[in-house]
Amino acid sequence: DADVTQTPRNRITKTGKRIMLECSQTKGHDRMYWYRQDPGLGLQLIYYSFDVKDINKGEISDGYSVSRQAQAKFSLSLESAIPNQTALYFCATSDYNTEAFFGQGTRLTVV
Amino acid sequence: KNQVEQSPQSLIILEGKNCTLQCNYTVSPFSNLRWYKQDTGRGPVSLTIMTFSENTKSNGRYTATLDADTKQSSLHITASQLSDSASYICVVASGGSYIPTFGRGTSLIVHP
């Protein structure tokens, strides 16, 4: 089993719909992150969490919300999806000052 | 604002050749610098990590260098293979919170 699992792997949704992307990890790490990747733009940080009671906005949090349900689970929600949120989304985990372990990504298309 | 700039944006080389990728950063205070390899459609995977006191670190055919004074790093790939075709991302963590700042990556294509 993968250390970081994202579901779904692919999703097509309509403009205005609410959608949730889920992430779970078996690394036992406290820190979890959600990133968005667009072609040619690299990875942009959406939200991050240092522990269950900690949620922080990243560079591009507008239009997104998150929930840290447990140490191992961190979900990303788009309350009302719009086409420019079409992108590849990655969840990652790390410990304090260690490398980040990434999930396989969720390819989201908003039509 | 913390920034990480990578060059070139893309690179095409022939199998067996060497190449060097560059990374310049303005992250402060500096904690560490990592190079990640990202295969198409997959999550990045760490190749090397360098701290302030380290100048060179190797991982097989990958050798990373760091000049903390000029805030530059390079990733040298020796005897390239087709499987080296990927995006290489420079990531710098700032001291204290260790929040990483990602570069946009260099897309490397190795042709037979």
Side-chain angles (χ1 to χ4, degrees):
Chain A
D1 288 341
D3 294 325
V4 183
T5 302
Q6 292 182 231
T7 56
R9 293 292 312 281
N10 291 282
R11 180 72 181 269
I12 300 174
T13 192
K14 292 183 178 180
T15 297
K17 293 291 187 181
R18 183 180 188 275
I19 183 170
M20 178 182 290
L21 309 183
E22 299 188 354
C23 176
S24 62
Q25 53 112 348
T26 59
K27 299 292 290 182
H29 290 161
D30 285 328
R31 298 184 169 204
M32 297 189 74
Y33 310 81
W34 273 104
Y35 290 93
R36 166 181 174 157
Q37 187 172 39
D38 297 279
L41 291 184
L43 285 150
Q44 296 174 278
L45 183 61
I46 306 172
Y47 271 96
Y48 61 99
S49 169
F50 283 177
D51 64 41
V52 176
K53 298 179 181 179
D54 177 76
I55 300 290
N56 303 281
K57 292 183 178 181
E59 309 165 65
I60 57 163
S61 58
D62 288 348
Y64 302 95
S65 63
V66 291
S67 174
R68 184 81 183 266
Q69 301 94 327
Q71 185 203 36
K73 295 184 182 294
F74 193 36
S75 61
L76 176 72
S77 293
L78 287 69
E79 296 301 325
S80 180
I82 55 178
N84 74 3
Q85 291 178 311
T86 294
L88 186 57
Y89 290 85
F90 285 102
C91 174
T93 76
S94 75
D95 243 340
Y96 181 73
N97 200 25
T98 65
E99 72 176 278
F101 292 85
F102 286 81
Q104 294 286 65
T106 295
R107 188 168 299 279
L108 176 65
T109 303
V110 183
V111 298
Chain B
K1 180 181 177 181
N2 290 336
Q3 288 187 313
V4 177
E5 301 288 340
Q6 292 187 241
S7 62
Q9 184 175 355
S10 61
L11 183 62
I12 300 173
I13 62 174
L14 292 176
E15 185 179 13
K17 298 296 185 181
N18 303 336
C19 67
T20 300
L21 315 178
Q22 301 291 340
C23 173
N24 296 332
Y25 61 92
T26 59
V27 176
S28 183
F30 174 85
S31 174
N32 61 61
L33 183 149
R34 296 181 189 272
W35 283 93
Y36 284 78
K37 178 185 179 186
Q38 183 179 21
D39 292 315
T40 300
R42 303 179 71 88
V45 176
S46 179
L47 291 173
T48 66
I49 177 175
M50 303 191 72
T51 58
F52 185 87
S53 60
E54 296 175 300
N55 299 120
T56 304
K57 183 168 284 189
S58 292
N59 177 3
R61 295 178 298 101
Y62 300 104
T63 299
T65 65
L66 174 66
D67 185 332
D69 291 332
T70 62
K71 298 186 177 181
Q72 296 179 325
S73 176
S74 65
L75 181 69
H76 185 74
I77 303 175
T78 304
S80 61
Q81 301 176 357
L82 299 179
S83 59
D84 291 332
S85 294
S87 179
Y88 291 84
I89 304 171
C90 177
V91 183
V92 182
S94 60
S97 64
Y98 296 101
I99 298 296
T101 300
F102 283 74
R104 294 187 177 187
T106 292
S107 175
L108 175 66
I109 298 174
V110 180
H111 279 315

